[in-house]
Amino acid sequence: MSELQHPDSRSFELVADVYERARPGYPSEAVDWVAERLDLRPGRTVLDLGAGTGKLTRGLLDTGARVIAVEPGDAMRAELERAAPGAEALRGSAEDIPLRNASVDAIAVGQAFHWFRHDVAIPELHRVLRRGGGVAVLWNSRDPDAALHQEIGKLIEPFIPPDRPDSEEWAQLLEESELFGPLEERRFSFVQELDADMLAERIASVSFVAAAPAAARRELDERLRRVAESLGGRVDFPYLTDAYVSFAV
């Protein structure tokens, strides 16, 4: 694991199997929009950077493009190799991408861009892109207007680090770098249906929850299960997916 990688991101290595079971993929409409903007198709190569367990990798493979999935965490990458065997999985980080200069047509980053050391990573993204290549950044976020998420938000508030920027603030770092052009943005929505076990695991897969003391995590797990049981044992878990695209200049 690169020493440049954000240390908090290492908590995912503790819950790689939970992440794979409980986290959703990305809505097909979001992947289709990214694929259209980045011209993903057979004969093209896309880098899935910070690929995790391959949640975005699987959608990228459906485009027919060659997919190279780079992930620093060994446990996360092992899940990725099982889930998306059609991708070429490599150990590496955004700050030290194990690819040649100008070797990919596009880069996609799902749920990982905020972990990068941006002063180092953004020039690395630019380095491996071919002329005219673009970067897509996607985030699945809990819908803040949903009653369920307002209740969950109260439960996890003590775990949340202070001054946590939102996805748009992170994505803007691309165009602010002068290496990439203006951001294009689209928003999509979808719902994941979860039972009590999966609801507890979904929240357990959040980085700052995974890094919390065991006693606090156990208490949160019990309270989340009670929430699901109070709603009949199954809940609709609404998401918003924000997708951004920016092209190298």
Side-chain angles (χ1 to χ4, degrees):
M1 182 176 293
S2 168
E3 64 182 9
L4 291 173
Q5 189 190 14
H6 194 295
D8 290 349
S9 68
R10 297 173 188 172
S11 60
F12 289 123
E13 286 291 278
L14 304 174
V15 292
D17 57 337
V18 174
Y19 194 104
E20 172 59 21
R21 287 195 301 272
R23 290 284 183 123
Y26 294 84
S28 59
E29 296 86 354
V31 177
D32 289 347
W33 180 72
V34 165
E36 186 274 329
R37 295 302 300 125
L38 299 182
D39 191 23
L40 302 184
R41 53 180 168 77
R44 301 268 287 175
T45 298
V46 58
L47 165 63
D48 184 2
L49 188 57
T53 66
K55 294 296 184 178
L56 180 56
T57 314
R58 282 161 267 197
L60 297 174
L61 284 168
D62 288 342
T63 69
R66 176 193 177 201
V67 180
I68 302 171
V70 170
E71 165 56 39
D74 293 338
M76 297 287 275
R77 196 172 59 258
E79 295 287 344
L80 182 154
E81 290 171 345
R82 284 191 286 270
E88 179 183 352
L90 301 176
R91 190 177 193 271
S93 68
E95 301 83 7
D96 188 15
I97 300 172
L99 298 175
R100 301 186 311 275
N101 293 353
S103 57
V104 300
D105 298 296
I107 299 172
V109 183
Q111 223 72 19
F113 191 77
H114 56 306
W115 295 120
F116 298 168
R117 305 292 191 189
H118 299 98
D119 58 335
V120 180
I122 289 175
E124 270 290 275
L125 271 64
H126 195 270
R127 178 184 68 81
V128 301
L129 274 175
R130 295 181 180 129
R131 184 182 297 273
V135 175
V137 178
L138 298 93
W139 273 279
N140 286 334
S141 303
R142 298 182 298 277
D143 184 346
D145 294 330
L148 173 66
H149 290 318
Q150 291 174 8
E151 187 168 1
I152 291 174
K154 294 174 184 176
L155 296 179
I156 66 174
E157 185 174 3
F159 297 82
I160 299 175
D163 304 322
R164 184 176 172 86
D166 64 23
S167 60
E168 185 175 8
E169 290 181 66
W170 289 121
Q172 286 173 348
L173 294 174
L174 281 171
E175 64 182 5
E176 291 172 2
S177 72
E178 299 183 352
L179 295 174
F180 291 88
L183 288 175
E184 303 175 34
E185 179 183 353
R186 294 290 185 278
R187 172 168 281 185
F188 307 87
S189 62
F190 70 101
V191 174
Q192 184 184 26
E193 186 177 310
L194 303 175
D195 61 17
D197 291 339
M198 290 296 287
L199 177 63
E201 288 202 329
R202 170 61 186 85
I203 302 304
S205 75
V206 175
S207 61
F208 52 76
V209 173
R217 287 187 280 112
R218 284 195 297 270
E219 181 180 355
L220 176 62
D221 182 281
E222 293 171 1
R223 297 178 75 178
L224 288 165
R225 291 175 187 277
R226 288 199 294 270
V227 168
E229 290 164 5
S230 72
L231 296 172
R234 301 192 72 84
V235 298
D236 287 339
F237 197 94
Y239 286 92
L240 299 175
T241 301
D242 290 306
Y244 306 87
V245 168
S246 180
F247 291 90
V249 296

